[in-house]
Amino acid sequence: KMDDDTTTKDDQYLTDVLSYSVDRLAKEPERLRQELLRTEKKQKDAAIKQYRAFIAAHSAYDVVRDRVEKARADLSSVADALPELKKSCRDFANRAESVARARAVNQQLLNRVPGDISDILEIPQTQEQCGRNGAYDEALDLELYAERLRASLPDVPVIDDLRESARMTNKKMLKKLLVRLQEPIQLPECLRIVGHVRRSRYFESETALRRAFLARREVFVRNACEEVRRWLAPYDRAKKLTDVHRVHVFDVVTQYRAIFSDGDSSSATEGASSAATTTTSNSNSDVTADESAILLSAWSSQRAESYKNALDESLQRVDEGGALASVFEHCEYCGNSLARVGVETRPLLREVFEKHALRIFEDALVAASEAFEKSLSTHRWTTYLAGGETTTENDDGNNNKDANSEYSPPQSLLEHAPVAAFVNGIVAAFNEVRLLTPKLRRCKKPFAKSLRKTFESGQKSLKNREKNELTSSTEKKKEAFKGAVRAYEKVAAPYASKCFARLFFGGFESAKTAEDVGLVVLL
């Protein structure tokens, strides 16, 4: 606007100058110079008088300039941030659009889902509560309901998450149910647990379910046996272990056949090796009867082997033949009981009792040999009959009878204390195993071998002693020693053979028995 006023004044002054005369035009420069001087003087006077205003105006100019520079910098920052702002606005618009679509889907879900949506979203928590209260059927029903919801609403993420949560909750519940199979439970509870697990399809196949059942019941039986082995003495432990094995194995087999009924369950275990297969009568099972029998048979074999090893460990510290025979009878009763459900263990245990019976027998023979050697070194040889003759020949064969028993030790052995003590040790060894030999007759050869070695060891001891007695003793002592040797060979050996025949052969002639056991070398 100031530029317009200045231009107007210049135009007016130019018009006036063009109207001046020559003289005036000649004077015009001087006039203008004087006018300039007056104007400069006024300007100086005004500057002197209003110097504060000039200083304030200069300061205000500096402030305005700084603020204008700052405003320019802020405007530049805003201009630089405008692209990011535009992008953020677009992102916000996209998110708002997604939220709007999700809201529309949720609204559609609310319209399509029957009942209260909050109750549906609480299905996992409700399942956990059902599991704690034992309402397993209701928990499975809730999972089934979640499956149906997902089938009817396949494109809703909330329903997918709900179904997965329901499945995981039921999986945890079923794991706790399976742990119950490792505890002492009765058949009705087993039926309920297996029913719940089968309904939930926790296992991929019926075979896997049966394997899991047997594996967890095996844990229970093993823990029960371990508890017995932890506290009791060896003899009591062996009998209690047998009772625990009998009761629990009988229960497990009965439970398995009652729960997984496959055709003719009474012969399932015996039919495990049959080639023919028949389909199971259980409508929920795709396992054949033979497959089921094989599973049960495999478990029974494994359990019997574990029982055998535990029993063997317990019997290692049983040193009395009577105690061993008592445990054997207990095991026979256990085997007879389990045989009624097709789990036969008696043949498997025979070798265990044969081993320990032979151990006890050999320990008794070793004690007899040691006592015999000690008696030979300390005995004072003398004769009791005229002329130093013994009654050895009169006690041979079937003449060894007294008023009490045909198998009583020969009376003639009383003249030879070391031999008599040795025979007593042999008889003690026979008495240790006499209750077991009727059932363990197939192991007569190891017993015979041990008996033969004992007699050979005694004969060797006599020969070693013979050198001293025949060179440094009197005639009576020599005669007494020779009589002891004859009694050892002609009386003690046949008598031991006869007793062995009574134990292992039911009373055959001693000559035949001696030949069988190898004692014929001493006759």
Side-chain angles (χ1 to χ4, degrees), residues 123-139:
I123 284 179
Q125 292 80 1
T126 307
Q127 284 179 295
E128 292 180 358
Q129 186 67 27
C130 291
R132 286 193 293 268
N133 296 333
Y136 303 113
D137 285 327
E138 287 75 4

Side-chain angles (χ1 to χ4, degrees), residues 140 143-144 147 163 167 170-171 174 194-206 209 284:
L140 294 174
E143 182 184 6
L144 181 60
E147 291 281 357
R163 197 269 301 181
R167 190 180 67 84
N170 268 2
K171 190 174 182 180
L174 292 171
V194 173
H196 295 320
V197 175
R198 178 182 283 134
R199 179 186 172 192
S200 67
R201 301 186 300 277
Y202 183 82
F203 294 101
E204 296 180 356
S205 65
E206 181 72 11
L209 172 61
N284 295 325

Side-chain angles (χ1 to χ4, degrees), residues 122-419:
E122 291 178 358
I123 284 179
Q125 292 80 1
T126 307
Q127 284 179 295
E128 292 180 358
Q129 186 67 27
C130 291
R132 286 193 293 268
N133 296 333
Y136 303 113
D137 285 327
E138 287 75 4
L140 294 174
D141 289 339
L142 288 173
E143 182 184 6
L144 181 60
Y145 179 71
E147 291 281 357
R148 291 175 179 173
L149 275 180
R150 183 177 179 274
S152 61
L153 302 171
D155 300 328
V156 181
V158 175
I159 299 300
D160 292 341
D161 296 340
L162 178 66
R163 197 269 301 181
E164 186 64 21
S165 299
R167 190 180 67 84
M168 295 303 297
T169 302
N170 268 2
K171 190 174 182 180
K172 295 178 181 178
M173 179 190 72
L174 292 171
K175 285 183 178 179
K176 294 180 180 179
L177 273 179
L178 291 173
V179 172
R180 286 283 298 126
L181 293 176
Q182 301 175 191
E183 302 172 359
I185 57 176
Q186 300 300 319
L187 176 59
E189 188 170 0
C190 283
L191 284 168
R192 285 195 296 270
I193 292 174
V194 173
H196 295 320
V197 175
R198 178 182 283 134
R199 179 186 172 192
S200 67
R201 301 186 300 277
Y202 183 82
F203 294 101
E204 296 180 356
S205 65
E206 181 72 11
T207 302
L209 172 61
R210 298 185 183 200
R211 285 200 184 98
F213 175 83
L214 290 174
R216 283 159 177 80
R217 297 308 287 159
E218 167 64 17
V219 172
F220 162 65
V221 178
R222 185 171 61 248
N223 291 340
C225 293
E226 289 292 336
E227 189 68 22
V228 171
R229 296 169 59 187
R230 188 174 301 164
W231 303 109
L232 298 178
Y235 170 70
D236 296 328
R237 182 194 310 162
K239 298 189 72 172
K240 185 64 176 178
L241 180 68
T242 301
D243 288 336
V244 170
H245 175 78
R246 173 178 57 83
V247 172
H248 292 324
V249 170
F250 189 93
D251 287 345
V252 172
V253 173
T254 303
Q255 291 168 356
Y256 181 87
R257 288 178 175 167
I259 297 172
F260 308 105
S261 56
D262 300 305
D264 184 10
S265 61
S266 63
S267 60
T269 303
E270 294 85 343
S273 61
S274 174
T277 58
T278 57
T279 56
T280 175
S281 60
N282 190 341
S283 59
N284 295 325
S285 172
D286 57 353
V287 181
T288 63
D290 273 0
E291 289 174 347
S292 178
I294 289 172
L295 289 176
L296 184 58
S297 178
W299 176 82
S300 302
S301 300
Q302 178 185 357
R303 177 93 295 275
E305 190 66 27
S306 299
Y307 166 63
K308 172 190 170 183
N309 295 335
L311 184 64
D312 186 23
E313 180 182 351
S314 298
L315 293 180
Q316 288 177 1
R317 301 180 63 182
V318 175
D319 300 324
E320 298 179 2
L324 185 65
S326 178
V327 176
F328 179 78
E329 292 298 328
H330 216 65
C331 292
E332 286 288 295
Y333 172 74
C334 170
N336 184 54
S337 177
L338 292 180
R340 291 182 294 175
V341 292
V343 182
E344 180 60 85
T345 59
R346 286 172 290 184
L348 187 65
L349 301 180
R350 292 291 173 87
E351 60 180 278
V352 175
F353 284 96
E354 289 171 2
K355 179 179 73 172
H356 291 288
L358 181 60
R359 172 180 57 83
I360 293 174
F361 183 68
E362 289 178 343
D363 290 344
L365 292 180
V366 169
S369 296
E370 292 175 352
F372 182 58
E373 292 180 2
K374 184 177 181 181
S375 180
L376 287 177
S377 63
T378 59
H379 182 66
R380 301 179 66 180
W381 299 100
T382 183
T383 57
Y384 295 92
L385 296 178
E389 296 295 332
T390 66
T391 58
T392 300
E393 291 80 2
N394 296 330
D395 285 328
D396 259 351
N398 294 325
N399 296 327
N400 296 325
K401 296 184 179 180
D402 61 13
N404 295 325
S405 174
E406 178 185 358
Y407 295 95
S408 297
Q411 295 294 325
S412 62
L413 294 178
L414 294 175
E415 303 173 21
H416 315 287
V419 179

Side-chain angles (χ1 to χ4, degrees), residues 25-38:
L25 284 174
K27 296 177 181 180
E28 186 64 22
E30 182 63 21
R31 189 186 66 79
L32 291 174
R33 187 179 65 79
Q34 293 296 328
E35 183 67 24
L36 177 61
L37 292 175
R38 285 194 299 274

Side-chain angles (χ1 to χ4, degrees), residues 36-78:
L36 177 61
L37 292 175
R38 285 194 299 274
T39 300
E40 290 178 351
K41 184 179 179 180
K42 289 181 181 180
Q43 185 178 3
K44 290 180 181 180
D45 292 340
I48 292 171
K49 292 181 181 180
Q50 303 294 332
Y51 74 94
R52 291 187 178 86
F54 280 104
I55 294 173
H58 181 74
S59 299
Y61 173 77
D62 291 340
V63 171
V64 170
R65 183 185 60 192
D66 293 340
R67 291 184 177 179
V68 169
E69 291 295 334
K70 183 179 180 181
R72 184 181 292 108
D74 291 341
L75 287 174
S76 298
S77 300
V78 171

